[in-house]
Amino acid sequence: MLLRLISPLMNLIDLPMQFLQRRFGITRLAWVFLLPNLLLFGTFAFLPILLNFAYAFTGTDKILLMERSFVGTENFVQLLDCDNYLDPNTCVRDLFWRSVHNTAWFIVLQVGFMVGLSLLTALVLNRKIRARGFFRAVFFFPVLLSPVVVALIWKWVLQRNGILNAGLEAVGLESVVWMLDRHWAFFWSVFLSVWAHMGFYTLILLAGLQAIPRDVYEAAVMDAANPWRTFRRITLPLLMPTMLVVLVLALIKGVQTFDEVYAFSGGGPGSATTLIIQYIYETGFAGAPRLFGPAAAASLLLALLLVVLTGVQLWITRRSSNG
Amino acid sequence: MGSAGRFLTRTRGRGRLHWTDWLTYGYLVLGIFLMFGPVIWLVFSSFKTDAELDRFPPRFLPYAQQTVSLDGYDKPLPLFRVTGGDLEGEVVAQVRRIGLTAQVVRPDAPGEVIKIARGERVPVERVRLATENYRDLFERFDFMRYFWNSTFITLVATAITLLVNSMAAFALSKYQFRGRAVVMALVIGVLMVPQSVVLVPLFMVTREFGMLDSLWGVIIPGAATPTGVFLLRQYMLTIPDEILDAARMDKASEWKIFWRIILPLSAPAIAVLAILSIMWRWNDFLWPLIALSRSENYTLQLALNSFQGEMHTQWSSLLAMTVLTLLPVALVFAFLQKYIATGIASTGGK
């Protein structure tokens, strides 16, 4: 049915395309096919990347570039002005450094738990178990949930009169107001982020495990290698490329975390769970004077980090697919 | 260490359950509990009344107090069982409560008001699904509008993404032309710098196009995805060029080759991209949060987020709305689990 709807439309495009084909020849027609995509890339990806530099070096709260004044490296100087980088309170832009600290802790914990737990889950799912498809789905489905839904699910479990507190009181412990304690709020932010994304990495690692040829294990059994040794000497090394991909992917996504944590805690209590993207969002779009300059400067610093990380990722995938 | 290793590597055959199998199934059961538990709890809670939601400790099933409509009273009256005093054991309807006493009537004699102590009565309850939570969404909140906004954005954006990306992938896989390597490098460049780090200039560009605070401002900027180009190109490379040559012999135009031959042959890859795109768009949050400011343009995700921010919004409506937002994803997942899993595994998610 859908096809019948599209068909006339596509035939309609055929006429001008035939004209272009006669005019330019087949090879140059490639550019015509590329044009819509490149136009969109150009306008909404490349142009913004270039403009981001312009915003990072200009000041005032005006959005139009012509109305903004050139301030040189002022935005960066302020962002990086710290007496002691380990203590955000000594920084000019203390909230920025608070968010950098939070993000650093966040990715260390989140990526660590994520890689560890997905590896464990993948190993378990790779064993001979009943209903593997079902269990795979159990661990995978949160990946599809929207970040806001994930946040609300856990908010409901963790609320003051929630089921977790009921459980704690049932076993004789005191209930906790989780979201008002900075450490607990941070812990649960990491937790729900791992909960939501773990299935994705499990899937990749499971594919990696299943790609390890059976006969390698059979050879190990022949040599009477003990299972722990087999795991350390065969499974782990052969899984290493996949592990690296997972690690870098998790890092790339980790530093960009915003949605679920923002919907979950709003960055609080105080600024305990404010991550870098939230800082950029609030500086540039949510505050009263919209500070586009500092927001763009912070974006630029983050982009640099991402370019390096993605470069590493591409290098790893290329190397592992070639070798 | 040896036994731990066995647990990590060996897949046991038939026969008696080894203790490592117990560990495995223990882990899996814990997994079910942790992954499904919260979602099921959410769904159950969404059918509870506000009074029941406030209750601590919570009960699993959605209980609600029974009510009765009596002559002479406008509203249905809540039913109580009396636990002490003269009326002990009887079921009465409460008319009003004043301090420590409650004025009640017997359901079969609605005219005669009796006073009893507040502490000497417990509500008569039974399991009832509070479907009014859901009804409220449609009557009091503009749920359908948010639903429509999300649906419109998802469908239109996915259609544009599929068309534009498949055209580009076709050019990049089936033509030898100067500059192809440059274009591929540019695509990788876009992959490296995601939307979330160019928010400020993207906001300005979208504003200059007059698309700010409109659904198109959400649809267009992300319509051409580098992931889509990659995914489709890799697939199209596996289609033999001889097919194209044969079609050209038959004087088929290049557009016809693309649309009649290449696209149908790439259907599996296109299906994967379609699913991914639908998922990204339905769940999208950060860019809509910036680009849309009037609440009538809100997507479901934005509406959900802004409702939870308003302190006076009751959990009952919020939970019901969360369940409805989750529902389409759950349905899609139930039917397309296999495609989704392979799709996500082959592209690295985004």
Side-chain angles (χ1 to χ4, degrees), chain B residues 291-331:
Chain B
L292 303 174
S293 46
R294 274 177 307 161
S295 70
E296 67 207 64
N297 287 330
Y298 274 10
T299 61
L300 265 183
Q301 313 297 340
L302 291 188
L304 205 52
N305 185 58
S306 81
F307 276 159
Q308 67 141 337
E310 297 165 17
M311 289 306 281
H312 57 269
T313 308
Q314 307 104 333
W315 271 102
S316 55
S317 311
L318 195 58
L319 293 173
M321 193 161 171
T322 312
V323 171
L324 286 188
T325 310
L326 186 154
L327 207 61
V329 176
L331 289 179

mmCIF file of all heavy atoms in Angstrom, chain B residues 291-331:
data_model
loop_
_atom_site.group_PDB
_atom_site.id
_atom_site.type_symbol
_atom_site.label_atom_id
_atom_site.label_comp_id
_atom_site.label_asym_id
_atom_site.label_seq_id
_atom_site.Cartn_x
_atom_site.Cartn_y
_atom_site.Cartn_z
ATOM 1 N N ALA B 291 14.958 23.218 20.618
ATOM 2 C CA ALA B 291 14.315 23.794 19.435
ATOM 3 C C ALA B 291 12.838 24.123 19.656
ATOM 4 O O ALA B 291 12.304 25.018 19.015
ATOM 5 C CB ALA B 291 14.457 22.839 18.247
ATOM 6 N N LEU B 292 12.169 23.415 20.540
ATOM 7 C CA LEU B 292 10.739 23.650 20.737
ATOM 8 C C LEU B 292 10.516 24.377 22.057
ATOM 9 O O LEU B 292 11.005 23.943 23.086
ATOM 10 C CB LEU B 292 9.983 22.316 20.763
ATOM 11 C CG LEU B 292 10.154 21.431 19.533
ATOM 12 C CD1 LEU B 292 9.473 20.094 19.740
ATOM 13 C CD2 LEU B 292 9.618 22.113 18.295
ATOM 14 N N SER B 293 9.778 25.492 21.994
ATOM 15 C CA SER B 293 9.554 26.177 23.266
ATOM 16 C C SER B 293 8.074 26.285 23.637
ATOM 17 O O SER B 293 7.747 26.252 24.817
ATOM 18 C CB SER B 293 10.210 27.555 23.240
ATOM 19 O OG SER B 293 9.918 28.217 22.043
ATOM 20 N N ARG B 294 7.176 26.401 22.643
ATOM 21 C CA ARG B 294 5.757 26.442 23.011
ATOM 22 C C ARG B 294 5.270 25.029 23.321
ATOM 23 O O ARG B 294 5.593 24.091 22.592
ATOM 24 C CB ARG B 294 4.929 27.027 21.862
ATOM 25 C CG ARG B 294 4.863 28.548 21.906
ATOM 26 C CD ARG B 294 4.106 29.044 20.723
ATOM 27 N NE ARG B 294 4.663 28.507 19.475
ATOM 28 C CZ ARG B 294 4.011 28.472 18.333
ATOM 29 N NH1 ARG B 294 2.777 28.912 18.260
ATOM 30 N NH2 ARG B 294 4.578 27.994 17.244
ATOM 31 N N SER B 295 4.465 24.909 24.376
ATOM 32 C CA SER B 295 4.116 23.559 24.820
ATOM 33 C C SER B 295 3.227 22.847 23.812
ATOM 34 O O SER B 295 3.148 21.629 23.813
ATOM 35 C CB SER B 295 3.440 23.598 26.188
ATOM 36 O OG SER B 295 2.170 24.158 26.062
ATOM 37 N N GLU B 296 2.569 23.586 22.919
ATOM 38 C CA GLU B 296 1.733 22.886 21.934
ATOM 39 C C GLU B 296 2.576 22.154 20.899
ATOM 40 O O GLU B 296 2.070 21.306 20.184
ATOM 41 C CB GLU B 296 0.780 23.868 21.256
ATOM 42 C CG GLU B 296 1.473 24.883 20.374
ATOM 43 C CD GLU B 296 0.675 26.163 20.260
ATOM 44 O OE1 GLU B 296 0.500 26.828 21.297
ATOM 45 O OE2 GLU B 296 0.216 26.479 19.160
ATOM 46 N N ASN B 297 3.867 22.501 20.826
ATOM 47 C CA ASN B 297 4.745 21.795 19.898
ATOM 48 C C ASN B 297 5.502 20.656 20.553
ATOM 49 O O ASN B 297 6.270 19.970 19.896
ATOM 50 C CB ASN B 297 5.772 22.769 19.299
ATOM 51 C CG ASN B 297 5.134 23.685 18.292
ATOM 52 O OD1 ASN B 297 4.160 23.305 17.636
ATOM 53 N ND2 ASN B 297 5.645 24.892 18.180
ATOM 54 N N TYR B 298 5.305 20.483 21.857
ATOM 55 C CA TYR B 298 6.082 19.492 22.592
ATOM 56 C C TYR B 298 5.884 18.080 22.045
ATOM 57 O O TYR B 298 4.791 17.706 21.634
ATOM 58 C CB TYR B 298 5.683 19.480 24.066
ATOM 59 C CG TYR B 298 6.418 20.486 24.916
ATOM 60 C CD1 TYR B 298 7.210 21.457 24.326
ATOM 61 C CD2 TYR B 298 6.300 20.476 26.295
ATOM 62 C CE1 TYR B 298 7.877 22.384 25.093
ATOM 63 C CE2 TYR B 298 6.964 21.411 27.082
ATOM 64 C CZ TYR B 298 7.752 22.362 26.461
ATOM 65 O OH TYR B 298 8.409 23.271 27.227
ATOM 66 N N THR B 299 6.970 17.319 22.072
ATOM 67 C CA THR B 299 6.849 15.893 21.791
ATOM 68 C C THR B 299 6.464 15.196 23.094
ATOM 69 O O THR B 299 6.486 15.806 24.166
ATOM 70 C CB THR B 299 8.190 15.318 21.302
ATOM 71 O OG1 THR B 299 9.157 15.499 22.330
ATOM 72 C CG2 THR B 299 8.662 16.011 20.049
ATOM 73 N N LEU B 300 6.151 13.914 23.002
ATOM 74 C CA LEU B 300 5.795 13.155 24.202
ATOM 75 C C LEU B 300 6.893 13.229 25.256
ATOM 76 O O LEU B 300 6.617 13.395 26.447
ATOM 77 C CB LEU B 300 5.565 11.689 23.834
ATOM 78 C CG LEU B 300 4.138 11.272 23.558
ATOM 79 C CD1 LEU B 300 4.091 9.783 23.284
ATOM 80 C CD2 LEU B 300 3.249 11.605 24.736
ATOM 81 N N GLN B 301 8.135 13.098 24.812
ATOM 82 C CA GLN B 301 9.246 13.098 25.763
ATOM 83 C C GLN B 301 9.337 14.424 26.506
ATOM 84 O O GLN B 301 9.552 14.461 27.718
ATOM 85 C CB GLN B 301 10.570 12.813 25.047
ATOM 86 C CG GLN B 301 10.552 11.656 24.087
ATOM 87 C CD GLN B 301 10.255 10.335 24.761
ATOM 88 O OE1 GLN B 301 10.417 10.192 25.963
ATOM 89 N NE2 GLN B 301 9.795 9.371 23.992
ATOM 90 N N LEU B 302 9.176 15.522 25.750
ATOM 91 C CA LEU B 302 9.252 16.835 26.391
ATOM 92 C C LEU B 302 8.092 17.031 27.351
ATOM 93 O O LEU B 302 8.255 17.560 28.451
ATOM 94 C CB LEU B 302 9.244 17.942 25.334
ATOM 95 C CG LEU B 302 10.459 18.061 24.444
ATOM 96 C CD1 LEU B 302 10.365 19.320 23.594
ATOM 97 C CD2 LEU B 302 11.720 18.109 25.264
ATOM 98 N N ALA B 303 6.898 16.623 26.917
ATOM 99 C CA ALA B 303 5.721 16.789 27.771
ATOM 100 C C ALA B 303 5.906 16.007 29.066
ATOM 101 O O ALA B 303 5.654 16.520 30.158
ATOM 102 C CB ALA B 303 4.477 16.311 27.029
ATOM 103 N N LEU B 304 6.383 14.791 28.910
ATOM 104 C CA LEU B 304 6.608 13.937 30.078
ATOM 105 C C LEU B 304 7.592 14.600 31.036
ATOM 106 O O LEU B 304 7.382 14.659 32.251
ATOM 107 C CB LEU B 304 7.179 12.610 29.581
ATOM 108 C CG LEU B 304 6.982 11.368 30.419
ATOM 109 C CD1 LEU B 304 5.537 11.202 30.750
ATOM 110 C CD2 LEU B 304 7.490 10.162 29.640
ATOM 111 N N ASN B 305 8.663 15.143 30.463
ATOM 112 C CA ASN B 305 9.678 15.771 31.301
ATOM 113 C C ASN B 305 9.161 17.037 31.976
ATOM 114 O O ASN B 305 9.466 17.297 33.133
ATOM 115 C CB ASN B 305 10.920 16.094 30.464
ATOM 116 C CG ASN B 305 12.036 16.645 31.315
ATOM 117 O OD1 ASN B 305 12.473 15.995 32.253
ATOM 118 N ND2 ASN B 305 12.468 17.852 31.022
ATOM 119 N N SER B 306 8.362 17.812 31.242
ATOM 120 C CA SER B 306 7.910 19.057 31.855
ATOM 121 C C SER B 306 6.830 18.784 32.906
ATOM 122 O O SER B 306 6.740 19.493 33.898
ATOM 123 C CB SER B 306 7.426 20.041 30.797
ATOM 124 O OG SER B 306 6.120 19.746 30.417
ATOM 125 N N PHE B 307 6.036 17.726 32.701
ATOM 126 C CA PHE B 307 5.025 17.379 33.713
ATOM 127 C C PHE B 307 5.673 16.984 35.024
ATOM 128 O O PHE B 307 5.206 17.356 36.091
ATOM 129 C CB PHE B 307 4.159 16.216 33.237
ATOM 130 C CG PHE B 307 3.046 16.655 32.365
ATOM 131 C CD1 PHE B 307 2.421 15.770 31.507
ATOM 132 C CD2 PHE B 307 2.606 17.971 32.385
ATOM 133 C CE1 PHE B 307 1.396 16.180 30.686
ATOM 134 C CE2 PHE B 307 1.585 18.393 31.568
ATOM 135 C CZ PHE B 307 0.984 17.486 30.715
ATOM 136 N N GLN B 308 6.746 16.215 34.933
ATOM 137 C CA GLN B 308 7.357 15.761 36.171
ATOM 138 C C GLN B 308 8.019 16.920 36.901
ATOM 139 O O GLN B 308 8.258 16.840 38.099
ATOM 140 C CB GLN B 308 8.368 14.651 35.904
ATOM 141 C CG GLN B 308 9.571 15.116 35.130
ATOM 142 C CD GLN B 308 10.853 14.488 35.627
ATOM 143 O OE1 GLN B 308 10.916 14.064 36.763
ATOM 144 N NE2 GLN B 308 11.855 14.442 34.770
ATOM 145 N N GLY B 309 8.320 18.006 36.165
ATOM 146 C CA GLY B 309 8.930 19.153 36.811
ATOM 147 C C GLY B 309 7.923 19.969 37.604
ATOM 148 O O GLY B 309 8.270 20.627 38.577
ATOM 149 N N GLU B 310 6.649 19.941 37.169
ATOM 150 C CA GLU B 310 5.635 20.701 37.892
ATOM 151 C C GLU B 310 5.266 19.932 39.154
ATOM 152 O O GLU B 310 4.803 18.804 39.098
ATOM 153 C CB GLU B 310 4.396 20.886 37.013
ATOM 154 C CG GLU B 310 4.678 21.687 35.767
ATOM 155 C CD GLU B 310 3.565 21.546 34.747
ATOM 156 O OE1 GLU B 310 2.466 21.101 35.115
ATOM 157 O OE2 GLU B 310 3.814 21.869 33.575
ATOM 158 N N MET B 311 5.451 20.585 40.274
ATOM 159 C CA MET B 311 5.281 19.885 41.543
ATOM 160 C C MET B 311 3.856 19.386 41.767
ATOM 161 O O MET B 311 3.633 18.356 42.376
ATOM 162 C CB MET B 311 5.674 20.809 42.703
ATOM 163 C CG MET B 311 7.155 21.057 42.799
ATOM 164 S SD MET B 311 8.105 19.531 42.866
ATOM 165 C CE MET B 311 7.860 19.112 44.590
ATOM 166 N N HIS B 312 2.876 20.132 41.259
ATOM 167 C CA HIS B 312 1.502 19.764 41.594
ATOM 168 C C HIS B 312 0.971 18.615 40.740
ATOM 169 O O HIS B 312 -0.088 18.096 40.994
ATOM 170 C CB HIS B 312 0.586 20.977 41.460
ATOM 171 C CG HIS B 312 0.625 21.577 40.081
ATOM 172 N ND1 HIS B 312 1.504 22.575 39.736
ATOM 173 C CD2 HIS B 312 -0.075 21.277 38.979
ATOM 174 C CE1 HIS B 312 1.313 22.893 38.466
ATOM 175 N NE2 HIS B 312 0.380 22.124 37.981
ATOM 176 N N THR B 313 1.713 18.249 39.695
ATOM 177 C CA THR B 313 1.239 17.139 38.871
ATOM 178 C C THR B 313 1.253 15.849 39.692
ATOM 179 O O THR B 313 2.243 15.517 40.309
ATOM 180 C CB THR B 313 2.135 16.947 37.647
ATOM 181 O OG1 THR B 313 2.261 18.188 36.989
ATOM 182 C CG2 THR B 313 1.539 15.929 36.708
ATOM 183 N N GLN B 314 0.125 15.145 39.683
ATOM 184 C CA GLN B 314 0.099 13.919 40.469
ATOM 185 C C GLN B 314 0.825 12.809 39.738
ATOM 186 O O GLN B 314 0.872 12.771 38.526
ATOM 187 C CB GLN B 314 -1.341 13.453 40.723
ATOM 188 C CG GLN B 314 -2.229 14.484 41.321
ATOM 189 C CD GLN B 314 -3.145 15.034 40.261
ATOM 190 O OE1 GLN B 314 -2.818 15.035 39.084
ATOM 191 N NE2 GLN B 314 -4.302 15.490 40.685
ATOM 192 N N TRP B 315 1.335 11.894 40.543
ATOM 193 C CA TRP B 315 2.016 10.741 39.971
ATOM 194 C C TRP B 315 1.046 9.923 39.129
ATOM 195 O O TRP B 315 1.453 9.309 38.139
ATOM 196 C CB TRP B 315 2.609 9.869 41.081
ATOM 197 C CG TRP B 315 3.995 10.262 41.469
ATOM 198 C CD1 TRP B 315 4.376 10.968 42.569
ATOM 199 C CD2 TRP B 315 5.201 9.975 40.742
ATOM 200 N NE1 TRP B 315 5.739 11.131 42.577
ATOM 201 C CE2 TRP B 315 6.269 10.534 41.478
ATOM 202 C CE3 TRP B 315 5.478 9.312 39.555
ATOM 203 C CZ2 TRP B 315 7.598 10.443 41.071
ATOM 204 C CZ3 TRP B 315 6.805 9.216 39.144
ATOM 205 C CH2 TRP B 315 7.841 9.782 39.891
ATOM 206 N N SER B 316 -0.236 9.905 39.513
ATOM 207 C CA SER B 316 -1.165 9.039 38.785
ATOM 208 C C SER B 316 -1.164 9.353 37.287
ATOM 209 O O SER B 316 -1.055 8.448 36.468
ATOM 210 C CB SER B 316 -2.568 9.161 39.366
ATOM 211 O OG SER B 316 -2.978 10.496 39.364
ATOM 212 N N SER B 317 -1.251 10.634 36.947
ATOM 213 C CA SER B 317 -1.245 10.995 35.531
ATOM 214 C C SER B 317 0.122 10.751 34.909
ATOM 215 O O SER B 317 0.233 10.272 33.781
ATOM 216 C CB SER B 317 -1.606 12.470 35.355
ATOM 217 O OG SER B 317 -2.749 12.779 36.077
ATOM 218 N N LEU B 318 1.143 11.092 35.678
ATOM 219 C CA LEU B 318 2.505 10.960 35.165
ATOM 220 C C LEU B 318 2.833 9.505 34.835
ATOM 221 O O LEU B 318 3.401 9.197 33.786
ATOM 222 C CB LEU B 318 3.475 11.496 36.224
ATOM 223 C CG LEU B 318 4.882 11.783 35.761
ATOM 224 C CD1 LEU B 318 4.867 12.782 34.632
ATOM 225 C CD2 LEU B 318 5.709 12.317 36.911
ATOM 226 N N LEU B 319 2.435 8.598 35.748
ATOM 227 C CA LEU B 319 2.718 7.184 35.530
ATOM 228 C C LEU B 319 1.958 6.666 34.310
ATOM 229 O O LEU B 319 2.513 5.933 33.487
ATOM 230 C CB LEU B 319 2.341 6.369 36.770
ATOM 231 C CG LEU B 319 3.191 6.633 38.010
ATOM 232 C CD1 LEU B 319 2.620 5.898 39.206
ATOM 233 C CD2 LEU B 319 4.627 6.206 37.774
ATOM 234 N N ALA B 320 0.703 7.058 34.194
ATOM 235 C CA ALA B 320 -0.090 6.607 33.046
ATOM 236 C C ALA B 320 0.535 7.105 31.750
ATOM 237 O O ALA B 320 0.635 6.368 30.764
ATOM 238 C CB ALA B 320 -1.524 7.117 33.175
ATOM 239 N N MET B 321 1.001 8.347 31.771
ATOM 240 C CA MET B 321 1.604 8.911 30.571
ATOM 241 C C MET B 321 2.916 8.193 30.238
ATOM 242 O O MET B 321 3.215 7.947 29.063
ATOM 243 C CB MET B 321 1.876 10.389 30.801
ATOM 244 C CG MET B 321 2.197 11.131 29.543
ATOM 245 S SD MET B 321 1.963 12.872 29.830
ATOM 246 C CE MET B 321 2.647 13.528 28.331
ATOM 247 N N THR B 322 3.678 7.859 31.268
ATOM 248 C CA THR B 322 4.918 7.113 31.044
ATOM 249 C C THR B 322 4.614 5.778 30.380
ATOM 250 O O THR B 322 5.294 5.381 29.423
ATOM 251 C CB THR B 322 5.650 6.866 32.373
ATOM 252 O OG1 THR B 322 5.714 8.090 33.095
ATOM 253 C CG2 THR B 322 7.039 6.354 32.143
ATOM 254 N N VAL B 323 3.584 5.112 30.869
ATOM 255 C CA VAL B 323 3.237 3.807 30.296
ATOM 256 C C VAL B 323 2.836 3.959 28.836
ATOM 257 O O VAL B 323 3.272 3.185 27.975
ATOM 258 C CB VAL B 323 2.113 3.143 31.103
ATOM 259 C CG1 VAL B 323 1.606 1.901 30.396
ATOM 260 C CG2 VAL B 323 2.606 2.783 32.490
ATOM 261 N N LEU B 324 2.055 5.000 28.523
ATOM 262 C CA LEU B 324 1.629 5.184 27.132
ATOM 263 C C LEU B 324 2.810 5.543 26.226
ATOM 264 O O LEU B 324 2.813 5.207 25.052
ATOM 265 C CB LEU B 324 0.554 6.266 27.042
ATOM 266 C CG LEU B 324 -0.830 5.863 27.536
ATOM 267 C CD1 LEU B 324 -1.838 6.944 27.217
ATOM 268 C CD2 LEU B 324 -1.269 4.556 26.905
ATOM 269 N N THR B 325 3.790 6.238 26.776
ATOM 270 C CA THR B 325 4.972 6.587 25.986
ATOM 271 C C THR B 325 5.819 5.358 25.707
ATOM 272 O O THR B 325 6.446 5.220 24.662
ATOM 273 C CB THR B 325 5.826 7.629 26.727
ATOM 274 O OG1 THR B 325 4.982 8.692 27.131
ATOM 275 C CG2 THR B 325 6.924 8.174 25.859
ATOM 276 N N LEU B 326 5.802 4.454 26.676
ATOM 277 C CA LEU B 326 6.603 3.248 26.591
ATOM 278 C C LEU B 326 5.971 2.218 25.659
ATOM 279 O O LEU B 326 6.658 1.418 25.040
ATOM 280 C CB LEU B 326 6.701 2.725 28.010
ATOM 281 C CG LEU B 326 7.511 1.568 28.511
ATOM 282 C CD1 LEU B 326 7.796 1.844 29.967
ATOM 283 C CD2 LEU B 326 6.785 0.282 28.395
ATOM 284 N N LEU B 327 4.663 2.281 25.559
ATOM 285 C CA LEU B 327 3.894 1.250 24.865
ATOM 286 C C LEU B 327 4.299 1.030 23.402
ATOM 287 O O LEU B 327 4.551 -0.121 23.021
ATOM 288 C CB LEU B 327 2.396 1.577 24.962
ATOM 289 C CG LEU B 327 1.466 0.380 24.881
ATOM 290 C CD1 LEU B 327 1.737 -0.574 26.017
ATOM 291 C CD2 LEU B 327 0.013 0.850 24.918
ATOM 292 N N PRO B 328 4.372 2.097 22.571
ATOM 293 C CA PRO B 328 4.727 1.852 21.171
ATOM 294 C C PRO B 328 6.072 1.147 21.044
ATOM 295 O O PRO B 328 6.221 0.217 20.241
ATOM 296 C CB PRO B 328 4.809 3.261 20.573
ATOM 297 C CG PRO B 328 4.071 4.127 21.491
ATOM 298 C CD PRO B 328 4.150 3.520 22.850
ATOM 299 N N VAL B 329 7.045 1.570 21.865
ATOM 300 C CA VAL B 329 8.364 0.946 21.830
ATOM 301 C C VAL B 329 8.257 -0.530 22.187
ATOM 302 O O VAL B 329 8.851 -1.392 21.533
ATOM 303 C CB VAL B 329 9.315 1.664 22.806
ATOM 304 C CG1 VAL B 329 10.647 0.962 22.847
ATOM 305 C CG2 VAL B 329 9.490 3.102 22.402
ATOM 306 N N ALA B 330 7.468 -0.827 23.215
ATOM 307 C CA ALA B 330 7.317 -2.218 23.637
ATOM 308 C C ALA B 330 6.712 -3.053 22.517
ATOM 309 O O ALA B 330 7.150 -4.175 22.255
ATOM 310 C CB ALA B 330 6.451 -2.284 24.887
ATOM 311 N N LEU B 331 5.722 -2.483 21.820
ATOM 312 C CA LEU B 331 5.068 -3.222 20.728
ATOM 313 C C LEU B 331 6.044 -3.468 19.589
ATOM 314 O O LEU B 331 6.174 -4.599 19.103
ATOM 315 C CB LEU B 331 3.850 -2.438 20.223
ATOM 316 C CG LEU B 331 2.667 -2.414 21.184
ATOM 317 C CD1 LEU B 331 1.526 -1.591 20.617
ATOM 318 C CD2 LEU B 331 2.198 -3.835 21.475
#
